[in-house]
Amino acid sequence: MQQVFKRPISLKDVQTHFCPGCHHGTIHRLVAEALDEFGVQGRTIGVASVGCSVFLYGYFDIDVVEAPHGRASAVATGVKRARPDNFVFTYQGDGDLAAIGTAEIIHAANRGEDITVIFVNNTTYGMTGGQMAPTTLVGQKTSTSPYGRNQHKDGAPIRMAELLAQLEGVAFSARVAVNNPKNIIDAKRQFKKAFRYQVEGKGFSFIEALSACPTNWGMNAIAANERVGSEMADYFKLGVFKNTDNM
Amino acid sequence: MAKIVIDEIRCKGCGLCTLACHGKLLSLSEKINIQGYTPAAITFPEKCTGCALCAEMCPDVAITVFK
């Protein structure tokens, strides 16, 4: 018998702090598999953000810089410019990238920095206790929108993948989900495409991954997983929004 | 002949693997692991085809597949 599924080499064999059913673990694995695929583990510098993704350095067997809240793409810009031969990616949540770090991500994307940004969208601030994020769906109850998000007062959720795809500097922008095996296999393909852009020096690549947050949504893992495929994927359409190379 | 090995210590009992298995061979067991969760277990191991979809779905990389 041969082993047909094993842990990627770039992913440390440790227990994660993620809640049961949290999709961060799956997204971590897909990133690690893509790193293995391109054989860049030894020259990769990850940039971690603030949020549940903060322990990136504990889970990936690569070098990691911890950025201040929202500033991961600005930090990654500096890292990549100082060390252009290294593979540089950021891993940020929606509270980090789409709220506190909006200026940083838009300008890094617009400059067309040769980095890869992985954006995990779970429609809430996970680590700090489930507050409303710019990506929170209309009507969604969070600890700071107890009656549900009100579009007139709070605006509609931001679609980052589409927004960034409009910028000249962006080479690749896609949205994926990891709520069922089909989507996971598709996500795997998109992660590899995004990484290839940087490996070949073709510019800024962006991947938004829809993720469940069972704890802050007040659901069990199965129901939260179901919500990703229904309510979330309804508003945040999956797909590739920009692919300059048509790979 | 295929086989899966579930790391009962790592498993957090989220049950996402039970959704992925076409043969509905996976379910959560009654026993409690060291983390306080009820880990997944395979009911009819001889029926496993080794498709590895459960392992793809597992957020904790707690499943290894042999074929």
Side-chain angles (χ1 to χ4, degrees):
Chain A
M1 266 204 264
Q2 267 188 335
Q3 197 167 349
V4 291
F5 185 94
K6 59 182 174 198
R7 175 180 283 272
I9 302 163
S10 308
L11 197 64
K12 287 182 191 166
D13 192 7
V14 292
Q15 180 75 51
T16 67
H17 76 292
F18 302 126
C19 307
C22 170
H23 287 167
H24 263 302
T26 316
I27 300 164
H28 271 43
R29 180 176 61 79
L30 296 180
V31 171
E33 279 181 4
L35 290 174
D36 285 2
E37 167 101 2
F38 290 105
V40 292
Q41 183 196 7
R43 60 182 179 94
T44 297
I45 301 175
V47 181
S49 60
V50 172
C52 290
S53 51
V54 75
F55 293 124
L56 201 77
Y57 53 82
Y59 303 144
F60 280 91
D61 195 7
I62 55 170
D63 291 325
V64 175
V65 181
E66 183 58 54
H69 206 349
R71 283 28 171 185
S73 35
V75 171
T77 299
V79 172
K80 187 68 181 183
R81 289 190 177 192
R83 308 198 58 145
D85 294 336
N86 285 75
F87 183 89
V88 181
F89 76 89
T90 76
Y91 187 109
Q92 305 172 253
D94 48 329
D96 188 87
L97 183 139
I100 298 144
T102 321
E104 281 76 9
I105 185 63
I106 286 184
H107 290 288
N110 195 44
R111 291 191 303 266
E113 297 295 341
D114 202 7
I115 56 172
T116 305
V117 171
I118 292 139
F119 168 48
V120 179
N121 177 1
N122 59 10
T123 75
T124 188
Y125 278 80
M127 184 189 69
T128 49
Q131 290 85 353
M132 181 172 66
T135 46
T136 298
L137 295 177
V138 172
Q140 184 182 333
K141 289 182 180 165
T142 68
S143 58
T144 48
S145 59
Y147 304 109
R149 180 176 183 147
N150 178 334
Q151 189 170 341
H152 299 295
K153 201 163 61 130
D154 311 314
I158 301 182
R159 295 182 177 105
M160 286 309 289
E162 286 93 327
L163 190 148
L164 294 179
Q166 296 170 25
L167 302 174
E168 270 311 303
V170 176
F172 180 83
S173 175
R175 183 181 291 117
V176 300
V178 292
N179 61 320
N180 60 43
K182 180 181 166 285
N183 284 346
I184 290 175
I185 288 158
D186 184 52
K188 210 180 268 203
R189 207 166 28 231
Q190 305 303 350
F191 272 105
K192 283 174 191 164
K193 272 190 204 168
F195 277 36
R196 179 167 289 122
Y197 272 94
Q198 189 184 159
V199 170
E200 295 176 357
K202 287 180 175 164
F204 186 92
S205 48
F206 180 84
I207 286 240
E208 173 173 345
L210 301 184
S211 165
C213 184
T215 304
N216 287 307
W217 293 354
M219 293 175 171
N220 66 31
I222 307 266
N225 189 66
E226 166 68 30
R227 179 179 185 253
V228 173
S230 53
E231 215 181 317
M232 260 183 102
D234 241 21
Y235 186 84
F236 296 109
K237 300 277 183 228
L238 304 184
V240 179
F241 304 103
K242 195 166 190 184
N243 191 3
T244 48
D245 235 15
N246 272 322
M247 282 186 294
Chain B
M1 185 64 191
K3 184 175 89 161
I4 65 162
V5 179
I6 299 169
D7 185 339
E8 289 186 3
I9 298 168
R10 286 281 164 79
C11 177
K12 290 176 186 158
C14 68
L16 297 189
C17 57
T18 63
L19 301 176
C21 183
H22 290 299
K24 306 264 175 261
L25 304 177
L26 291 161
S27 56
L28 298 182
S29 60
E30 307 255 294
K31 62 181 172 191
I32 294 174
N33 69 9
I34 195 161
Q35 297 190 75
Y37 300 123
T38 51
I42 184 158
T43 34
F44 298 101
E46 67 282 359
K47 287 189 183 167
C48 176
T49 60
C51 69
L53 295 184
C54 55
E56 290 284 355
M57 198 71 183
C58 177
D60 292 285
V61 203
I63 304 175
T64 357
V65 186
F66 299 88
K67 206 171 178 180

mmCIF file of all heavy atoms in Angstrom, chain A residues 4 51 73-74 79 109 111 122 130 133 190 193:
data_model
loop_
_atom_site.group_PDB
_atom_site.id
_atom_site.type_symbol
_atom_site.label_atom_id
_atom_site.label_comp_id
_atom_site.label_asym_id
_atom_site.label_seq_id
_atom_site.Cartn_x
_atom_site.Cartn_y
_atom_site.Cartn_z
ATOM 1 N N VAL A 4 -1.280 7.822 -0.225
ATOM 2 C CA VAL A 4 -1.783 8.683 -1.293
ATOM 3 C C VAL A 4 -2.171 10.073 -0.799
ATOM 4 O O VAL A 4 -2.406 10.977 -1.589
ATOM 5 C CB VAL A 4 -2.971 8.042 -2.056
ATOM 6 C CG1 VAL A 4 -2.527 6.863 -2.867
ATOM 7 C CG2 VAL A 4 -4.090 7.674 -1.109
ATOM 8 N N GLY A 51 -4.989 38.523 13.705
ATOM 9 C CA GLY A 51 -6.262 37.809 13.595
ATOM 10 C C GLY A 51 -5.981 36.359 13.935
ATOM 11 O O GLY A 51 -4.933 36.037 14.507
ATOM 12 N N SER A 73 0.575 43.696 3.621
ATOM 13 C CA SER A 73 1.004 43.890 2.231
ATOM 14 C C SER A 73 2.051 44.998 2.117
ATOM 15 O O SER A 73 2.869 44.975 1.197
ATOM 16 C CB SER A 73 -0.189 44.139 1.314
ATOM 17 O OG SER A 73 -1.171 44.872 1.956
ATOM 18 N N ALA A 74 2.046 45.955 3.051
ATOM 19 C CA ALA A 74 3.095 46.978 3.054
ATOM 20 C C ALA A 74 4.419 46.355 3.490
ATOM 21 O O ALA A 74 5.473 46.615 2.906
ATOM 22 C CB ALA A 74 2.704 48.120 3.974
ATOM 23 N N VAL A 79 9.771 43.571 2.097
ATOM 24 C CA VAL A 79 10.511 42.301 2.085
ATOM 25 C C VAL A 79 10.882 41.933 0.649
ATOM 26 O O VAL A 79 12.030 41.602 0.344
ATOM 27 C CB VAL A 79 9.683 41.168 2.742
ATOM 28 C CG1 VAL A 79 10.352 39.819 2.574
ATOM 29 C CG2 VAL A 79 9.440 41.448 4.216
ATOM 30 N N ALA A 109 -1.457 46.536 -4.387
ATOM 31 C CA ALA A 109 -2.022 45.932 -5.596
ATOM 32 C C ALA A 109 -1.857 46.869 -6.788
ATOM 33 O O ALA A 109 -1.478 46.464 -7.879
ATOM 34 C CB ALA A 109 -3.490 45.596 -5.380
ATOM 35 N N ARG A 111 0.348 49.186 -7.219
ATOM 36 C CA ARG A 111 1.750 49.289 -7.631
ATOM 37 C C ARG A 111 2.201 48.042 -8.363
ATOM 38 O O ARG A 111 3.247 48.019 -8.974
ATOM 39 C CB ARG A 111 2.654 49.496 -6.402
ATOM 40 C CG ARG A 111 2.524 50.831 -5.714
ATOM 41 C CD ARG A 111 3.640 51.026 -4.692
ATOM 42 N NE ARG A 111 3.684 49.964 -3.694
ATOM 43 C CZ ARG A 111 3.091 50.005 -2.501
ATOM 44 N NH1 ARG A 111 2.395 51.064 -2.154
ATOM 45 N NH2 ARG A 111 3.182 49.002 -1.655
ATOM 46 N N ASN A 122 -14.075 35.438 6.348
ATOM 47 C CA ASN A 122 -15.077 34.687 7.117
ATOM 48 C C ASN A 122 -16.186 35.597 7.637
ATOM 49 O O ASN A 122 -16.884 35.261 8.581
ATOM 50 C CB ASN A 122 -14.420 33.867 8.242
ATOM 51 C CG ASN A 122 -13.647 34.709 9.208
ATOM 52 O OD1 ASN A 122 -13.730 35.930 9.172
ATOM 53 N ND2 ASN A 122 -12.886 34.086 10.078
ATOM 54 N N GLY A 130 -15.749 38.249 17.127
ATOM 55 C CA GLY A 130 -16.897 38.234 16.217
ATOM 56 C C GLY A 130 -17.572 39.565 15.996
ATOM 57 O O GLY A 130 -18.798 39.638 15.896
ATOM 58 N N ALA A 133 -17.410 43.067 10.390
ATOM 59 C CA ALA A 133 -16.292 43.432 9.513
ATOM 60 C C ALA A 133 -16.889 44.053 8.247
ATOM 61 O O ALA A 133 -18.103 43.960 8.034
ATOM 62 C CB ALA A 133 -15.489 42.181 9.175
ATOM 63 N N GLN A 190 -6.307 27.101 -8.186
ATOM 64 C CA GLN A 190 -6.179 28.565 -8.198
ATOM 65 C C GLN A 190 -4.978 29.026 -7.373
ATOM 66 O O GLN A 190 -4.296 29.974 -7.748
ATOM 67 C CB GLN A 190 -7.463 29.242 -7.677
ATOM 68 C CG GLN A 190 -8.735 28.860 -8.394
ATOM 69 C CD GLN A 190 -8.701 29.112 -9.893
ATOM 70 O OE1 GLN A 190 -7.791 29.738 -10.430
ATOM 71 N NE2 GLN A 190 -9.685 28.600 -10.606
ATOM 72 N N LYS A 193 -1.990 28.631 -9.498
ATOM 73 C CA LYS A 193 -1.927 29.682 -10.522
ATOM 74 C C LYS A 193 -1.387 30.963 -9.909
ATOM 75 O O LYS A 193 -0.500 31.602 -10.455
ATOM 76 C CB LYS A 193 -3.342 29.967 -11.060
ATOM 77 C CG LYS A 193 -3.751 29.097 -12.218
ATOM 78 C CD LYS A 193 -5.056 29.642 -12.799
ATOM 79 C CE LYS A 193 -5.813 28.565 -13.525
ATOM 80 N NZ LYS A 193 -7.175 28.963 -13.847
#
